[in-house]
Amino acid sequence: MPKLVIEGGKSLQGEIKLQGAKNSVLPILAATILSEEESVIQNCPNLSDVAITIEILNYLGCKTRLEGENLIIDPSNLNKTEIPEEYMRKMRSSIIFLGALVSRMGNAEISLPGGCELGPRPLDLHFSGLRQLGMIFEESHGKIKCSLGRGVLGSNIVLSFPSVGATENLILAAVKAKGITTITNAAREPEIQDLADYLNKCGAKIKGAGEGIIKIEGVKKLHGAKYRIIPDRIAAITYMAAAAVASGDILIKKINLEHLNSVIPIFEESGCMIEIYNKENLRLVAPERLLSSTAIRTMPYPGFPTDAQPLIMAMLSVAEGSSMIIENIFESRYKHVGELLRLGADIKVEGRTAIVNGVKRLSGAEVKGMDLRGTAALVVAGLCAEGTTKISGLKHLDRGYEDIEGTLSKVGADIKRI
Ligand code: EPZ
């Protein structure tokens, strides 16, 4: 089984180029099937989740080809309406095809993706919203058949929680509905705005993406578009945390500063010096010793992102003093704590709250990644642990990071994949 081997203690210096955002490219690739014309998706990251999404597009009858960082999709021959179970199990976010597939083909069949490492992950908000848009669901033997009575009809939908996936699925279902759809208490993540920007470039009429109420005026037809994916804000936070623990001085190029508004204060509070050059390059200089952070609560955007929680926890595990982290988004997103304890961290979890008592040094050990951001947190910890850290569970890491070991070794880390 492949492992990452890290010799801790090296400092990180240099420039980091950011990949395109995983959580943006997945819904946008699903959106390409809404028209019958070719789209070109630029800055497409090389991730296993993207590879699975391309497999699904090919399975459905689309033609895809990769030219460098540009993915070209020709959805004109789409001729299938079901997503096989193997794909739903491999990648739970393939649920994002549901709204688009029914909108394009009038029906769809999927199997329930099941839970994942972060807890049960129900889909009730997806289904209740899609039902309001006119979708009829029949469930049997773990499969769900979706069909349309009188077509997709615009509706006023209120989400009880600003679910990212549900907001995306509803946008994809509503862009060609008859009439107007409003989504109240919609998720406001930058990836939602990116999806709306792509669809509007294809001729959709979406207003208010990124705010709490999204208004969609259904259109008859969409055309293809050329579109550049936004930079990956969680990858940016990962490299910032890596530099922070490895007494680093790094420059991350072409970030979208606004997307980091809720995390930059945490880095500054912990003693890092942050400088912004011409609004899109961020320099982070780490302090001698990191300081603890009072309280960090994960919240829907623009609050502190849940995906950054494991990364910041790894950083605070070597800060001076105690920090409190409250995970408000997912049921169980503390699987990385047990592995951080193996590296010598001092962390106590009580329900949704984790108390991190910073230690002077972590010490290298063999650890196992259990989910995407939890495994990235182990990489951050390994960079500052004394001696050798071996990390398994790389299939999680490769879902969301494009060559993390290459990126980190370019700025001085001693990290190899064996
Ligand atoms: C997206 O997941 C991201 N994934 C996640 O990133 C991210 O953590 C999450 O949004 C929150 O920002 C992708 O975009 C592919 P949610 P999603 O629906 O859409 C509950 C990563 O590491 N919920 O906003 O699944 C759900 O159980 C991944 O890149 C319902 O109860 O997130 C969770 O507790 C991890 N019913 C909370 O809402 C529903 O119908 C947030 O889920 C849907 C969700």
Side-chain angles (χ1 to χ4, degrees):
M1 159 176 56
K3 285 185 179 156
L4 284 183
V5 179
I6 303 174
E7 292 305 325
K10 307 279 182 296
S11 84
L12 304 188
Q13 322 274 336
E15 287 189 12
I16 286 182
K17 181 182 164 305
L18 265 194
Q19 65 188 53
K22 163 179 95 75
N23 293 346
S24 201
V25 71
L26 299 181
I28 286 178
L29 290 181
T32 59
I33 71 172
L34 285 169
S35 98
E36 309 206 3
E37 294 176 17
E38 187 173 276
S39 278
V40 180
I41 305 302
Q42 299 166 313
N43 196 26
C44 185
N46 174 16
L47 307 169
S48 58
D49 269 5
V50 171
I52 295 171
T53 306
I54 292 171
E55 278 180 50
I56 294 174
L57 288 168
N58 293 336
Y59 172 84
L60 293 173
C62 303
K63 287 196 197 62
T64 60
R65 70 179 189 283
L66 205 53
E67 284 175 3
E69 291 187 332
N70 297 348
L71 180 65
I72 296 112
I73 300 105
D74 171 1
S76 53
N77 292 330
L78 192 142
N79 54 24
K80 288 210 185 70
T81 59
E82 40 98 21
I83 310 264
E85 177 160 352
E86 61 172 300
Y87 292 125
M88 297 301 288
R89 287 217 173 266
K90 259 194 230 175
M91 185 180 74
R92 59 164 288 103
S93 46
S94 32
I95 188 73
I96 199 60
F97 274 93
L98 182 60
L101 208 44
V102 178
S103 169
R104 166 80 185 264
M105 302 297 277
N107 63 73
E109 183 181 312
I110 58 161
S111 63
L112 281 169
C116 82
E117 311 85 6
L118 305 179
R121 302 285 288 275
L123 298 168
D124 54 310
L125 300 174
H126 295 243
F127 296 136
S128 58
L130 291 169
R131 267 194 199 93
Q132 276 189 255
L133 289 171
M135 267 187 221
I136 299 155
F137 293 96
E138 296 155 51
E139 193 174 329
S140 62
H141 315 300
K143 285 200 181 314
I144 297 194
K145 280 198 177 63
C146 320
S147 55
L148 284 174
R150 292 167 300 130
V152 187
L153 309 172
S155 174
N156 295 329
I157 299 163
V158 181
L159 289 177
S160 57
F161 179 86
S163 152
V164 171
T167 303
E168 292 167 346
N169 240 330
L170 294 173
I171 289 173
L172 292 168
V175 284
K176 294 202 296 185
K178 291 185 197 80
I180 292 180
T181 299
T182 56
I183 306 171
T184 303
N185 195 26
R188 297 161 58 179
E189 271 69 4
E191 293 76 27
I192 305 271
Q193 297 172 59
D194 218 22
L195 173 64
D197 290 348
Y198 163 71
L199 284 167
N200 284 338
K201 231 182 147 179
C202 297
K205 289 188 179 145
I206 305 167
K207 287 197 177 64
E211 289 142 38
I213 299 182
I214 298 178
K215 189 171 169 194
I216 303 163
E217 189 185 330
V219 295
K220 277 218 176 342
K221 200 170 159 10
L222 293 176
H223 46 76
K226 184 182 277 198
Y227 190 77
R228 184 174 180 78
I229 300 291
I230 54 172
D232 192 312
R233 61 194 169 102
I234 309 300
I237 297 167
T238 307
Y239 296 123
M240 289 165 74
V245 300
S247 48
D249 179 351
I250 59 161
L251 182 71
I252 303 181
K253 306 198 72 166
K254 293 207 179 334
I255 55 151
N256 182 315
L257 191 61
E258 191 192 321
H259 299 166
L260 299 172
N261 274 345
S262 63
V263 292
I264 285 178
I266 306 288
F267 282 98
E268 289 175 328
E269 194 184 337
S270 64
C272 296
M273 194 269 291
I274 303 253
E275 271 167 6
I276 303 298
Y277 300 115
N278 52 52
K279 293 202 292 234
E280 62 172 20
N281 302 310
L282 179 142
R283 182 184 176 201
L284 183 145
V285 183
E288 269 305 298
R289 178 85 197 274
L290 288 161
L291 304 170
S292 62
S293 199
T294 44
I296 292 174
R297 294 173 178 78
T298 64
M299 297 300 275
Y301 193 90
F304 186 91
T306 173
D307 291 349
Q309 177 259 102
L311 309 163
I312 298 302
M313 181 185 279
M315 179 177 95
L316 294 173
S317 64
V318 289
E320 188 168 340
S322 294
S323 311
M324 178 170 75
I325 296 177
I326 304 168
E327 173 54 58
N328 293 308
I329 306 292
F330 284 106
E331 298 276 301
S332 63
R333 193 171 200 163
Y334 284 135
K335 289 215 170 55
H336 44 286
V337 171
E339 298 306 301
L340 288 172
L341 294 179
R342 280 177 56 77
L343 293 169
D346 174 359
I347 303 168
K348 289 177 186 57
V349 173
E350 184 70 41
R352 287 181 177 272
T353 303
I355 302 294
V356 183
N357 301 311
V359 296
K360 244 185 158 13
R361 289 283 286 179
L362 296 174
S363 56
E366 301 230 5
V367 285
K368 190 172 172 353
M370 324 269 198
D371 59 63
L372 167 54
R373 307 301 174 184
T375 312
L378 299 177
V379 173
V380 170
L383 291 172
C384 65
E386 194 118 28
T388 308
T389 298
K390 290 186 180 164
I391 303 171
S392 59
L394 303 193
K395 70 176 176 16
H396 299 297
L397 205 57
D398 296 342
R399 287 187 42 217
Y401 292 93
E402 191 178 72
D403 186 19
I404 191 167
E405 65 270 22
T407 304
L408 287 170
S409 40
K410 266 196 209 97
V411 289
D414 180 343
I415 176 171
K416 287 185 279 303
R417 182 177 292 231
I418 52 165

